[in-house]
Amino acid sequence: MVVSRKDYLSRMGRVLAPYSFLAPFLILFTVFQVFGFLFSFYLSFQSWNRLLDLGQ
């Protein structure tokens, strides 16, 4: 069965449309998750005491 280009593009548009609505959320969610993970990894190697640093 031969599928015309117009039918193929129409079908792909219907398949990909939900992902275009979800993409901004998924991108921002991933960026903040990766940043949080990397920053917590960085902080785990630091040696500091917040209670003692308040008086200085």
Side-chain angles (χ1 to χ4, degrees), residues 35-50:
F35 174 75
F37 174 75
L38 293 176
F39 191 64
S40 65
F41 188 72
Y42 166 76
L43 287 178
S44 70
F45 289 105
Q46 302 303 311
S47 176
W48 59 298
N49 187 347
R50 282 299 281 170

Side-chain angles (χ1 to χ4, degrees), residues 26-41:
L26 293 175
I27 291 169
L28 287 174
F29 181 77
T30 303
V31 166
F32 281 103
Q33 289 296 315
V34 169
F35 174 75
F37 174 75
L38 293 176
F39 191 64
S40 65
F41 188 72

Side-chain angles (χ1 to χ4, degrees), residues 4 9 11 40:
S4 72
L9 292 176
R11 181 175 171 204
S40 65

